[in-house]
Amino acid sequence: MKFIYSSGQRALEGFTLKRGIGRGGFGEVYFAVSDGGKEVALKLVRGDHCVELRGVAQCLNLKHPNLVALYDLRTDGRGDHWVVMEYVAGEPLNVVLSRHPSGLPRELVREWFLALARAVGYLHDHGIVHRDLKPGNVFLENGMLKVGDYGLSKSIGASQRTAQTQSVGTVHYMAPEISTGNYNKQIDIYAAGIILYEMLAGHVPFDGESSGEILMKHLTAPPDLSRVPVEYRPILARALAKNPAHRYASLAEMAREVEAQGQETGRVPAGASRPVPPAADARQEARAPRPEEAIPSVLPALTLRQQVLELCLSLSLTVAFALVGTALWAALVRTGSLGQLSTIFFLTVAASWAILVPGKFWTQRRGDSWTRRLVMMALGGLIGLGALWLDGWSPGGPGDPASGLVDGGALVSVFPSDVLSEASYFSYYALAFFALRWWRMTGRRRPQRFSFAPILGAGFWALVLLLLVRAPQWPGVLVLVMASVIVQLVSPWEQPPPPAAKRMRLRYA
């Protein structure tokens, strides 16, 4: 593309041109830098510039975050007119759409259309109709949408709403009434509907081999709404009505119904009539499940009998996994007596069962209540007393926990003698069970079937508590880590339902 001016020239006093960035029917656009260092876009207006200059004059003092700012209107020494405007470094919407032939994600469609509606609605509120609304005039920079190219804008004051003398715009987005010269801001609503259709479907509703064919389709052919999501069909049917009186009264009204699609999927907007599809399409829609019915948001609850059977199976598998884990530990360290390994095995089974039993009945409930933590702390304390008993202690008995000998040495202690006490065992396991939300590892609808995050959490708290409590050393850490692994492996898991639709701000396509 050859431009009139080249890089480095000062075609307009105070600005240095860097490169040409676009060309249209009304002139050329250059990227330039002012003498003060500000980056701007300079539009050279060529040919019949009366409409262009009048539109720029109407928009110079308008300020909106979704409009490309117009700074000034200047004339060079040769009598050519230049429009000084904001430089948008991003790409136009039509380039983004070319990368998405099947349409954009619906959240992104809502986000960008609402920004488009705010910008053009602001123009309408100030008596300006854009008249050339199309993706090529909509720019995206860092996720921010901006509407540009006011060159074809024209005032629509009370005395100028009819009998327009010049038909302008791009044929794919041109409302039917433009050909008659009798139009108002409804042509922008029609063009916005075409853009919304294109963002959803990936292509425009009317196309053809010639401009005349496309114009004829705008005048006579109904848009094929079967290519867009069901919930948007009433909106597009109204926005693309051939009669301007049947369209939305304002872009704000249309935007409210588009925004509602992010809050309630499949709802027919109030005041909008649903187009009657052909009989074949109606039968197909009747057979096809609605989007919200494809995956139920609430999975069927299990009966008490099913829960008990699952729990029994999980408890049985726990014994097998604990046996395998203990054997692997023995093979890894290649030390330890049978008494030591037995202690680790029984404590792992007991800890896993203490997690599985209440977790089975909490799996259908949400929350992180203190009741659950206190129950888990009590169970952890019992595990601690069990560990102390396995180490040789009995209430009032002859065992000596400091030496680890019971009745002459039947059971050898696996813990150092200088850290053995009733309080340390109880506190260590009680606090470990209190600190973590163990029931989430057994949840039927947990995010993942197996995750390393709970294992790391169990290991972290096991080590931290070693520093805070006079407690067993490596056996306690090993028991808690093995329990966090086993309860995930033996607990049933179902794919969680998709989250409810909500408004999102997506910034890139």
Side-chain angles (χ1 to χ4, degrees):
M1 181 182 297
K2 185 173 178 60
F3 292 87
I4 298 176
Y5 297 99
S6 58
S7 176
Q9 289 188 275
R10 293 176 60 86
L12 183 64
E13 183 64 26
F15 299 92
T16 301
L17 303 183
K18 295 299 182 180
R19 66 178 183 275
I21 56 177
R23 175 182 291 171
F26 282 84
E28 297 178 342
V29 182
Y30 295 85
F31 168 57
V33 179
S34 71
D35 292 344
K38 184 174 181 61
E39 296 180 344
V40 298
L42 295 180
K43 184 171 185 178
L44 172 62
V45 182
R46 309 286 292 182
D48 183 9
H49 53 75
C50 294
V51 175
E52 175 84 3
L53 299 180
R54 184 168 60 246
V56 171
Q58 290 286 336
C59 301
L60 276 178
N61 295 315
L62 299 182
K63 295 180 181 180
H64 191 276
N66 297 117
L67 286 176
V68 176
L70 302 181
Y71 298 138
D72 201 1
L73 183 61
R74 305 276 292 275
T75 304
D76 61 21
R78 293 166 297 279
D80 291 331
H81 299 278
W82 295 79
V83 181
V84 184
M85 57 184 143
E86 175 186 5
Y87 172 66
V88 181
E91 55 191 0
L93 179 59
N94 62 327
V95 175
V96 177
L97 290 173
S98 67
R99 296 198 299 266
H100 296 78
S102 299
L104 298 172
R106 297 188 194 179
E107 293 83 2
L108 205 57
V109 171
R110 285 194 297 270
E111 182 73 20
W112 287 353
F113 182 83
L114 293 179
L116 172 71
R118 288 192 294 267
V120 181
Y122 179 82
L123 290 177
H124 292 173
D125 292 341
H126 288 77
I128 302 295
V129 59
H130 192 286
R131 298 208 304 177
D132 193 21
L133 199 57
K134 60 183 179 181
N137 289 336
V138 178
F139 303 93
L140 300 159
E141 183 179 39
N142 297 326
M144 187 72 173
L145 182 142
K146 290 179 176 289
V147 177
D149 199 350
Y150 300 90
L152 298 178
S153 301
K154 189 172 184 179
S155 173
I156 52 171
S159 62
Q160 298 175 319
R161 293 177 60 90
T162 60
Q164 310 289 358
T165 59
Q166 187 174 5
S167 294
V168 293
T170 303
V171 66
H172 287 95
Y173 306 88
M174 190 178 294
E177 64 270 22
I178 288 183
S179 60
T180 67
N182 184 6
Y183 54 83
N184 56 21
K185 66 181 181 181
Q186 291 296 325
I187 66 172
D188 284 346
I189 296 176
Y190 185 90
I194 297 288
I195 295 175
L196 177 60
Y197 185 105
E198 188 173 5
M199 287 195 292
L200 290 167
H203 56 82
V204 293
F206 304 115
D207 204 354
E209 297 181 358
S210 65
S211 298
E213 180 183 355
I214 298 172
L215 289 173
M216 186 57 64
K217 289 182 178 179
H218 280 293
L219 288 168
T220 59
D224 183 6
L225 299 180
S226 65
R227 299 178 180 271
V228 298
V230 175
E231 61 269 23
Y232 283 94
R233 294 178 187 177
I235 300 175
L236 290 170
R238 186 174 177 184
L240 301 181
K242 306 301 181 185
N243 188 342
H246 296 164
R247 298 176 200 152
Y248 290 99
S250 66
L251 268 172
E253 182 185 1
M254 182 179 178
R256 283 193 294 270
E257 299 206 354
V258 171
E259 186 177 19
Q261 303 312 312
Q263 303 170 357
E264 186 176 350
T265 305
R267 182 181 65 85
V268 179
S273 59
R274 183 183 295 274
V276 180
D281 291 343
R283 290 192 299 269
Q284 183 177 0
E285 288 187 3
R287 292 192 301 266
R290 293 180 179 273
E292 64 271 20
E293 296 174 353
I295 301 178
S297 59
V298 179
L299 299 174
L302 297 176
T303 63
L304 179 60
R305 182 173 181 273
Q306 290 174 320
Q307 286 182 311
V308 171
L309 290 177
E310 279 191 353
L311 179 59
C312 292
L313 179 60
S314 297
L315 297 179
S316 302
L317 291 175
T318 298
V319 177
F321 280 112
L323 186 61
V324 172
T326 305
L328 290 175
W329 174 256
L332 179 64
V333 299
R334 297 184 180 179
T335 58
S337 65
L338 181 61
Q340 293 175 333
L341 298 177
S342 299
T343 299
I344 294 172
F345 169 75
F346 285 117
L347 286 179
T348 302
V349 171
S352 301
W353 283 6
I355 298 169
L356 289 169
V357 173
K360 172 61 64 176
F361 301 100
W362 288 338
T363 188
Q364 301 294 336
R365 302 178 185 177
R366 297 180 179 179
D368 187 17
S369 65
W370 281 95
T371 302
R372 296 187 185 187
R373 289 188 179 269
L374 293 175
V375 169
M376 295 304 298
M377 183 174 68
L379 292 174
L382 294 177
I383 299 299
L385 295 178
L388 187 63
W389 176 76
L390 288 173
D391 197 53
W393 172 84
S394 62
D400 181 7
S403 64
L405 300 178
V406 178
D407 295 331
L411 179 62
V412 179
S413 173
V414 298
F415 306 111
S417 60
D418 60 336
V419 296
L420 295 179
S421 68
E422 299 176 19
S424 67
Y425 276 84
F426 180 89
S427 301
Y428 182 80
Y429 286 97
L431 292 176
F433 271 59
F434 177 83
L436 291 174
R437 291 173 289 189
W438 296 90
W439 60 89
R440 289 197 173 186
M441 304 182 197
T442 68
R444 176 180 294 274
R445 297 168 196 168
R446 56 191 184 275
Q448 296 175 326
R449 179 68 176 84
F450 183 85
S451 174
F452 285 99
I455 303 172
L456 295 176
F460 171 78
W461 281 108
L463 293 174
V464 168
L465 290 173
L466 281 179
L467 304 177
L468 301 177
V469 181
R470 291 178 57 85
Q473 296 182 14
W474 59 265
V477 177
L478 180 61
V479 167
L480 294 175
V481 170
M482 287 180 59
S484 65
V485 174
I486 291 173
V487 295
Q488 293 187 79
L489 294 175
V490 303
S491 298
W493 180 76
E494 293 177 353
Q495 179 71 39
K502 61 181 181 180
R503 294 180 61 191
M504 302 174 60
R505 185 169 183 84
L506 303 180
R507 305 196 67 85
Y508 298 99

